[in-house]
Amino acid sequence: MSEEKLRQDSHLADSLNADASSPNSIIPRLQQALATCSQLIEAGDISKSNELVVELVDFLNPISVSVVEDASNVELETTAFEILTEIDRFISSPSRNQEVTDALSFELPKVVCKFACASKRCSEIAELIVGHLVSTCSPRDMLSILCAALSSPSETFKVPCYFAPLIGGLTKVIILIQRRQFEQVKTVIPVILGVLKSVSLEADDEDKDTEELFHKAIGLAESIQAVCKKLEQKDKKKLCALLGLFVLQLMALASIAMGRNISSLLPIVLYLSRFLPLCGISYEGLITGPDIDKFKSICGDGRDDDMACFSHVKHGGSLAVIWGYKSNEVSMAADEDFEAVKNELQMNQTKRWQAIGMLKHVFSSIDLSWELKTHALDFLFCIMDGGATVEIQNDNMDYYTYMPTLYTALQAIEMVIIYAPNAALRKKSFDALKKVLADVPSSLRFDILKALIQNNECSSMIAILLDCFKREMLEEHSRSISVTSGVSEAEVKDPPCASFWSAGALELVELVLKPPKGGPPCLPEYSDAVLSALNLYRFVLIRESTGKTNYTGVLSKDMLQKAYNEWLLPLRTLVTGVVAENQNDHDQLASDAICALNPIELVLYRCIELVEDNLKHA
């Protein structure tokens, strides 16, 4: 290369590194840089051309940052549009050497997508540039380049308008891949889902850019579907399974991003539901779980990290069916008869329990809106109403295998009860909890309730569960009276149904009044739980004394002494001390503490009186 040419290159580098504050100087410098790059590449000076491309990127990056940081600056938006227009004009020129386009394709997608953040028209022209690169460069290379650009934006550019042109480019690339399509798509999907997940967690309900991004992702799903149609049966099965998981994950992420803006979310759900029959997915298979497990098995290689990007597919599967319940249009798009699915769940207890287990993913999610959780509760009532509850008589172990699922589902419903923003939703979720408990045979209901109480740290929730336990004791007592009709209660030595009328009731009382970690319970923090435990103990003591029974062992001398010395007297000392500490204070906290302890005092002293009376006759 001549010395004159080297001096020109040096001058160009100095020019690119110079102050770019003058908008009028940016476009000429960009034109000069692009032209020089082209000349160097055509001349075979790859090393020098690569250096110049890096300098060009370094020149444009600060400008793109300024455009984003000062989004209201009309002059900067115009500059961004002119930069993109010049780049588009340059690479789309019919006379452009392919080697030049290939060299620029490694850096341009990331650069132009940064300028896409300036405005809608900038985003459109950025997508044109990416589309041109996709159509003229190697599909395999562009797939890697676009994935790298999606994976590595700075914090400034982690916004939907940066990602949209890149996802649009991948939509076109997928169609062009001719070999190992499943492996290539499996490489792309985690990148796309990672982007959508981060955007979803930061999304604003009215963010149109986020909505547009999900429509781009649906376009990618359509491209995968088109590829599926061209494959042989074995490869088609694998890619369809991958598409199914992708669609369900999109269903969940879209619900997270737009769960409070149903008018925008519903069209996306409608689009996604159309993929379900094409992938061989049914509502029943989703809500009971086997379709998801089957697809994970088909797509995975036995490693957990293979499926890590599909962390929300069970949320998506549940939501897909819930939307079919809420909207006839959605169920029609999924080619499903929802009434038939509902009837099957109502009549088949095993499938109903599996469905309850799937719904827990919606109830326990901190990212899904309360409106969607309300829909999930409505769906739960729908499948529980008219259901046939079957008491266990044979094959107990088959039923026991579902207990962990029901237990975790009830824990998820507890989260709705505890954190729901209004009383109506709290009541609805409590009714749902009672419905699920009622669906469990009584011999297992005791174990589940006990586990829920033992593994709970919320005082109010413990109180609610103890009240449920007390209600179960009352119902069990009523059933016992019915069975022994015509026989005096005093003559019934053993209750026909003894799940709740057993020593387990006193174990729960002790769990609250004498916590396993030692010492009396914390007051006033655990006032609700303590009051409920005292009421349960008083109820058991009075009922057993009146009926002259001792199913729970509450009337044995040792048990009375234990309750008196280890539960009630230490609690009396604690309550007296807390009241004394607060009665001279006149602030609101002290007043609230005394108010919380007043009902405890009343029930506590009544329990002490009852124990003392029974000890006299023990």
Side-chain angles (χ1 to χ4, degrees):
M1 187 176 290
S2 66
E3 292 184 7
E4 177 62 26
K5 183 62 179 173
L6 289 173
R7 283 196 297 273
Q8 289 177 358
D9 293 344
S10 176
H11 173 72
L12 178 59
D14 291 341
S15 174
L16 287 175
N17 291 319
D19 177 34
S21 60
S22 172
N24 294 331
S25 67
I26 292 174
I27 301 305
R29 274 184 272 177
L30 175 61
Q31 292 171 335
Q32 185 181 3
L34 291 171
T36 305
C37 282
S38 179
Q39 294 167 6
L40 289 170
I41 293 167
E42 290 173 0
D45 193 347
I46 303 301
S47 176
K48 187 64 179 176
S49 67
N50 288 342
E51 291 178 12
L52 193 56
V53 169
V54 171
E55 291 172 0
L56 175 60
V57 171
D58 291 342
F59 165 67
L60 292 175
N61 278 340
I63 304 172
S64 63
V65 171
S66 299
V67 169
V68 173
E69 290 181 346
D70 192 2
S72 60
N73 190 317
V74 176
E75 188 175 359
L76 281 175
E77 189 276 339
T78 301
T79 300
F81 181 75
E82 290 175 353
I83 289 171
L84 291 170
T85 302
E86 181 57 36
I87 293 174
D88 181 52
R89 183 198 64 76
F90 177 81
I91 66 166
S92 60
S93 171
S95 61
R96 186 66 52 225
N97 186 302
Q98 183 60 44
E99 292 181 353
V100 175
T101 306
D102 288 341
L104 290 173
S105 68
F106 287 94
E107 297 293 344
L108 280 186
K110 187 184 294 187
V111 171
V112 300
C113 288
K114 290 178 179 179
F115 285 104
C117 301
S119 65
K120 179 66 175 175
R121 65 173 183 165
C122 288
S123 178
E124 290 171 351
I125 197 167
E127 187 158 358
L128 284 175
I129 295 169
V130 173
H132 181 80
L133 293 173
V134 166
S135 64
T136 56
C137 300
S138 162
R140 286 179 177 273
D141 288 344
M142 287 308 302
L143 186 142
S144 299
I145 290 166
L146 296 177
C147 283
L150 282 166
S151 301
S152 58
S154 64
E155 287 297 326
T156 305
F157 297 102
K158 286 185 177 180
V159 289
C161 47
Y162 170 84
F163 297 118
L166 297 170
I167 295 178
L170 282 172
T171 298
K172 299 179 176 68
V173 168
I174 292 297
I175 297 290
L176 300 173
I177 297 291
Q178 298 299 316
R179 295 176 63 250
R180 298 177 61 83
Q181 290 93 337
F182 174 77
E183 289 76 9
Q184 298 295 335
V185 173
K186 195 175 180 182
T187 300
V188 170
I189 282 180
V191 178
I192 300 291
L193 292 178
V195 167
L196 292 172
K197 185 175 182 179
S198 64
V199 168
S200 298
L201 295 176
E202 300 294 331
D204 183 272
D205 291 337
E206 303 298 326
D207 190 346
K208 292 296 181 183
D209 290 336
T210 300
E211 183 181 343
E212 176 64 23
L213 193 62
F214 276 99
H215 283 289
K216 293 288 185 187
I218 291 172
L220 181 63
E222 290 173 340
S223 293
I224 298 172
Q225 179 192 337
V227 173
C228 285
K229 293 178 180 178
K230 299 185 293 184
L231 297 180
E232 298 296 330
Q233 187 58 35
K234 181 180 178 181
D235 293 333
K236 181 178 181 179
K237 180 181 178 182
K238 292 177 68 177
L239 192 55
C240 278
L242 190 61
L243 174 60
L245 293 175
F246 180 58
V247 166
L248 294 177
Q249 184 78 2
L250 286 182
M251 187 83 73
L253 295 179
S255 299
I256 290 171
M258 294 177 281
R260 287 173 290 274
N261 187 2
I262 301 301
S263 60
S264 297
L265 177 57
L266 190 55
I268 291 174
V269 169
L270 196 60
Y271 275 117
L272 292 173
S273 295
R274 295 190 180 111
F275 290 99
L276 301 182
L278 301 172
C279 297
I281 297 175
S282 69
Y283 274 178
E284 185 178 319
L286 281 180
I287 201 61
T288 57
D291 279 0
I292 294 172
D293 294 336
K294 177 180 68 176
F295 281 6
K296 282 188 172 183
S297 176
I298 293 172
C299 297
D301 295 327
R303 300 190 302 271
D304 291 341
D305 55 346
D306 283 342
M307 297 292 105
C309 65
F310 299 118
S311 58
H312 285 69
V313 288
K314 291 188 175 180
H315 302 68
S318 299
L319 289 165
V321 182
I322 291 167
W323 277 112
Y325 159 68
K326 296 299 292 185
S327 167
N328 288 332
E329 191 177 6
V330 171
S331 61
M332 289 175 63
D335 195 21
E336 286 283 352
D337 179 358
F338 183 80
E339 281 298 310
V341 176
K342 180 190 75 172
N343 291 337
E344 178 65 20
L345 295 176
Q346 285 182 343
M347 299 310 297
N348 188 313
Q349 190 177 53
T350 299
K351 291 181 180 179
R352 188 164 64 249
W353 287 359
Q354 290 171 333
I356 293 168
M358 285 293 291
L359 290 173
K360 72 182 177 187
H361 299 287
V362 177
F363 295 135
S364 63
S365 173
I366 61 173
D367 300 314
L368 290 171
S369 69
W370 291 110
E371 185 169 357
L372 290 177
K373 292 181 182 181
T374 302
H375 293 336
L377 287 170
D378 291 338
F379 175 80
L380 178 61
F381 285 119
C382 169
I383 65 173
M384 299 299 290
D385 291 340
T389 301
V390 180
E391 288 288 338
I392 295 179
Q393 295 178 355
N394 298 306
D395 300 324
N396 288 2
M397 291 307 298
D398 291 339
Y399 284 91
Y400 269 105
T401 58
Y402 292 99
M403 290 306 101
T405 297
L406 291 172
Y407 169 70
T408 53
L410 287 164
Q411 283 187 313
I413 296 174
E414 283 181 359
M415 292 179 65
V416 183
I417 297 173
I418 294 170
Y419 298 108
N422 58 70
L425 185 52
R426 286 193 290 273
K427 183 182 184 305
K428 177 177 279 193
S429 52
F430 177 56
D431 290 340
L433 183 137
K434 290 189 293 184
K435 280 271 189 185
V436 175
L437 282 172
D439 203 36
V440 179
S442 59
S443 56
L444 299 180
R445 201 178 307 142
F446 170 84
D447 294 332
I448 284 186
L449 260 177
K450 182 178 178 181
L452 289 171
I453 294 168
Q454 286 177 323
N455 296 288
N456 211 304
E457 295 185 356
C458 174
S459 174
S460 297
M461 196 66 235
I462 293 172
I464 290 171
L465 293 169
L466 286 172
D467 288 343
C468 288
F469 194 93
K470 180 181 174 183
R471 190 178 299 110
E472 291 289 344
M473 295 186 80
L474 282 168
E475 292 180 5
E476 192 172 84
H477 178 73
S478 297
R479 289 195 297 271
S480 174
I481 294 299
S482 176
V483 170
T484 58
S485 179
V487 181
S488 68
E489 191 170 348
E491 293 178 306
V492 180
K493 301 302 180 184
D494 297 303
C497 305
S499 296
F500 291 89
W501 283 95
S502 66
L506 298 184
E507 290 175 14
L508 296 180
V509 173
E510 182 174 38
L511 188 70
V512 176
L513 301 185
K514 186 186 176 185
K517 295 180 181 179
C522 295
L523 292 176
E525 293 86 347
Y526 272 75
S527 295
D528 290 342
V530 169
L531 180 59
S532 189
L534 287 171
N535 274 321
L536 178 60
Y537 180 72
R538 180 180 61 171
F539 163 74
V540 172
L541 194 55
I542 291 174
R543 179 69 70 177
E544 298 269 46
S545 300
T546 304
K548 293 181 172 53
T549 58
N550 196 24
Y551 305 137
T552 60
V554 70
L555 296 177
S556 69
K557 184 174 182 180
D558 288 345
M559 195 67 236
L560 289 168
Q561 289 284 8
K562 180 178 181 179
Y564 191 72
N565 295 323
E566 298 182 20
W567 304 351
L568 304 178
L569 293 185
L571 184 60
R572 183 177 66 180
T573 302
L574 175 65
V575 170
T576 303
V578 174
V579 170
E581 287 176 9
N582 288 278
Q583 63 185 174
N584 295 324
D585 294 334
H586 302 290
D587 60 13
Q588 188 61 45
L589 287 176
S591 177
D592 291 344
I594 292 174
C595 288
L597 294 176
N598 282 339
I600 290 177
E601 276 191 297
L602 293 173
V603 181
L604 172 60
Y605 284 115
R606 178 59 179 146
C607 288
I608 290 173
E609 290 172 4
L610 289 169
V611 171
E612 289 174 343
D613 287 344
N614 279 280
L615 278 171
K616 293 176 183 178
H617 304 96

